[in-house]
Amino acid sequence: MPKERILVVDDEQNARSALRTILAEEGYEIREAVNGEEALSLLSEFAPDLVLCDVRMPKMDGLTLLRTAKAQGSEAVFVMMTAYAAVETAVEAMRAGAENYLVKPIEVTAALLFIEKALEKKGLSREAGLLRERVRERYRLDGMVGEAPEMQAVYELVRQAALTRATVLVLGESGTGKELIAQALHEQSPRKDKPFIKVACAALSETLLESELFGHEKGSFTGAAGRREGRFELADGGTLFLDEIGEMPHSMQVKLLRALQQREFERVGGTQTIKVDVRVVAATNRDLVAEVKDGRFREDLYYRLNVVSVTLPPLRRRKGDIPALVSLFVEKYGKSYGKELRGLAPGTMNALLAHDWPGNVRELENAIERAVVLAKGPELTADDLPPSLRGPRPASRDSSSLVPGATMEQIEREAILRTLEFASGSTTRAAEILGISVRKIQYRLKEFGAEKAT
Ligand SMILES: Nc1ncnc2c1ncn2[C@@H]1O[C@H](COP(=O)(O)OP(=O)(O)OP(=O)(O)O)[C@@H](O)[C@H]1O
Ligand SMILES: [Mg+2]
């Protein structure tokens, strides 16, 4: 990981060397220039990430340097330094595209914080762009977010199964994304231009369910006014999604089995045999194997449905995907409620990560929607989250075993390494979780690496 580069531009020798010492200690690579002209030639040669620039200088002043650099398309972030008396000039510089300004005499801690923030912002927007690309290419499947290994295995399976007509059984707890998978199976299949028809098996009485699936002839039962096509017919050429198949009454299971085996059926009250070409996807949050054992679900139907089975992991087993899901929902609900949101306030992500999410992605989505509605500022805070998430966090066993007895350095190291592991190696996510900068993590990692080498 290359060091971030900072160009210090000031006509005062003392100011430059003080800054150089402090910044070099922080791990930045530093170059100096005594005026705007000199700085301008270093912009292309040194390609600084950030320019720390005095406003008043002989030859070319800071404002002119800033304007010229921006006009030349420099991507460097500018932080201006100005005397208290010249704050107006600094404000003008902000208008000209400077990121921020520092008032002289410069207060070291504040300056470092400023610089780090400015660099982070630059780095993050670049990284976010890259991340989005990656997500689109590999980890996303028609609106599904999550790059946990278990999810990638699911995507792979869906991509393969989508090409066939094989019946797919989608398993997983409530809110894990079973319906999204059913839709993805359709969208990725050669049937995507034909209908995707859903039947909520749990919502209907037995009689209604039969007529819903297979249709009925006029007057075939009380309330059956005209002739009606069933969902199997409507789905012809496309995909039929049987949601909550575990709730289907026993007698219906027999009829469904026949339709699946022969791809033909009769309407309720009808004699004509209807043939259809339908790909069936069924889903349930029940444990079908146990249902079969207990005699509530027909074994033959179970095997018929279970040609390919896709099991979605509960969210608590892939917490590393929480930050990406949160971004997705913040963006989605920010848009729909017309709120310009920057993201999460420090600490909020920790609360989200500490929760076990029994309602899985749906519960997370609802929590974020609620937070977006309640948010008063540009950031979602822990106070905007549902009360169940705000309780005291149980101390983690692992970290408590380090304390007392470990040095702060060891604890920091442990915290960084474990969080990185948890975030599948993403420094951006780890930084978000730990509430420190990406740069700091990268810097520390380099140190750890150097330690190992010696
Ligand atoms: N991986 C994911 N990426 C983005 N959104 C997701 C993901 N998984 C689920 N969701 C969202 O979470 C919500 C619940 O998903 P879905 O309806 O597919 O769950 P389900 O498994 O069918 O739940 P249930 O068993 O309760 O019917 C939906 O709004 C869906 O868009
Ligand atoms: Mg569902």
Side-chain angles (χ1 to χ4, degrees):
M1 189 65 210
K3 285 186 193 175
E4 277 161 313
R5 290 181 297 272
I6 299 183
L7 177 62
V8 178
V9 193
D10 201 317
D11 57 324
E12 272 177 67
Q13 155 81 38
N14 286 343
R16 284 198 315 270
S17 58
L19 282 169
R20 148 165 261 167
T21 311
I22 295 159
L23 294 171
E25 215 162 85
E26 283 296 305
Y28 297 109
E29 194 179 332
I30 313 296
R31 292 286 281 273
E32 297 170 32
V34 298
N35 60 46
E37 259 177 23
E38 208 180 299
L40 211 52
S41 63
L42 276 173
L43 274 183
S44 50
E45 185 203 317
F46 177 54
D49 296 295
L50 184 140
V51 180
L52 200 53
C53 179
D54 189 24
V55 172
R56 227 176 332 151
M57 290 177 295
K59 282 207 178 155
M60 186 191 278
D61 64 59
L63 209 57
T64 313
L65 169 63
L66 168 67
R67 290 200 174 112
T68 316
K70 291 284 163 189
Q72 289 176 356
S74 163
E75 281 183 21
V77 174
F78 275 75
V79 175
M80 312 306 282
M81 298 182 290
T82 179
Y84 177 68
V87 165
E88 272 157 37
T89 329
V91 173
E92 207 181 321
M94 301 279 290
R95 252 182 246 128
E99 176 68 25
N100 220 324
Y101 65 89
L102 296 165
V103 174
K104 283 183 165 182
I106 286 166
E107 212 270 297
V108 176
T109 333
L112 286 176
L113 214 71
F114 255 62
I115 289 167
E116 193 170 310
K117 266 240 163 90
L119 279 171
E120 195 171 323
K121 206 166 145 192
K122 186 185 182 221
L124 280 182
S125 55
R126 194 177 44 213
E127 231 175 290
L130 287 178
L131 198 67
R132 235 172 280 134
E133 283 301 315
R134 258 195 329 152
V135 161
R136 214 175 298 134
E137 278 171 21
R138 278 181 53 205
Y139 304 120
R140 232 176 152 143
L141 187 76
D142 294 317
M144 299 220 67
V145 167
E147 45 183 276
E150 277 170 298
M151 290 304 285
Q152 289 189 46
V154 166
Y155 304 156
E156 198 47 47
L157 196 58
V158 167
R159 285 203 187 95
Q160 286 171 9
L163 302 175
T164 71
R165 201 178 72 167
T167 304
V168 179
L169 182 59
V170 188
L171 302 168
E173 292 178 13
S174 177
T176 46
K178 296 186 293 296
E179 186 159 348
L180 275 188
I181 287 293
Q183 282 163 355
L185 272 164
H186 179 71
E187 289 302 322
Q188 305 257 324
S189 80
R191 304 170 168 260
K192 66 175 190 294
D193 297 323
K194 293 288 170 59
F196 173 85
I197 304 283
K198 174 182 163 177
V199 183
C201 301
L204 301 164
S205 73
E206 197 176 329
T207 324
L208 283 178
L209 183 56
E210 184 175 3
S211 117
E212 190 76 17
L213 285 174
F214 306 119
H216 61 247
E217 297 295 340
K218 191 173 177 204
S220 55
F221 61 93
T222 325
R227 186 180 120 181
R228 188 176 164 211
E229 290 189 340
R231 301 279 162 140
F232 262 99
E233 273 173 86
L234 294 174
D236 196 14
T239 305
L240 181 68
F241 175 42
L242 302 174
D243 202 8
E244 297 162 83
I245 189 89
E247 324 291 315
M248 187 175 271
H250 218 274
S251 58
M252 267 309 297
Q253 292 176 21
V254 190
K255 290 173 183 153
L256 177 62
L257 180 64
R258 182 189 157 226
L260 289 180
Q261 272 167 346
Q262 279 140 34
R263 310 255 165 202
E264 61 177 44
F265 55 88
E266 288 90 39
R267 297 195 187 103
V268 177
T271 48
Q272 184 201 346
T273 299
I274 297 161
K275 280 196 169 296
V276 286
D277 165 29
V278 170
R279 129 68 71 76
V280 171
V281 179
T284 181
N285 52 28
R286 291 206 186 184
D287 177 354
L288 276 192
V289 174
E291 299 284 307
V292 168
K293 231 188 235 154
D294 296 347
R296 278 192 300 272
F297 202 85
R298 289 186 64 107
E299 191 170 13
D300 46 9
L301 178 58
Y302 171 68
Y303 285 117
R304 184 75 223 171
L305 292 171
N306 198 18
V307 178
V308 176
S309 82
V310 175
T311 304
L312 287 167
L315 187 54
R316 64 183 168 280
R317 277 229 307 272
R318 53 175 188 110
K319 285 192 176 180
D321 285 341
I322 289 179
L325 285 164
V326 168
S327 308
L328 173 79
F329 298 140
V330 168
E331 200 184 314
K332 173 174 169 186
Y333 290 106
K335 236 181 238 153
S336 76
Y337 290 102
K339 288 196 174 180
E340 284 234 356
L341 295 165
R342 254 201 319 254
L344 305 187
T348 317
M349 188 57 82
N350 283 339
L352 293 170
L353 288 168
H355 189 58
D356 252 356
W357 304 106
N360 296 297
V361 183
R362 181 181 293 113
E363 185 187 3
L364 176 64
E365 182 170 356
N366 291 344
I368 298 299
E369 180 177 6
R370 176 186 194 274
V372 167
V373 171
L374 295 179
K376 288 179 206 77
E379 289 181 336
L380 306 184
T381 68
D383 281 343
D384 301 326
L385 298 175
S388 58
L389 269 74
R390 280 185 260 142
R393 295 184 54 200
S396 144
R397 237 187 321 121
D398 297 324
S399 61
S400 62
S401 68
L402 274 177
V403 189
T407 63
M408 214 53 197
E409 225 176 284
Q410 288 167 330
I411 294 169
E412 185 189 48
R413 179 201 166 101
E414 192 69 11
I416 290 177
L417 292 179
R418 273 171 184 266
T419 310
L420 265 173
E421 193 183 33
F422 172 81
S424 317
S426 158
T427 44
T428 313
R429 281 206 211 159
E432 216 174 317
I433 294 166
L434 289 163
I436 60 177
S437 68
V438 172
R439 193 183 64 79
K440 182 154 186 177
I441 291 191
Q442 284 161 348
Y443 187 56
R444 289 283 182 267
L445 283 177
K446 231 172 70 185
E447 281 182 348
F448 302 157
E451 265 169 46
K452 246 189 238 158
T454 52

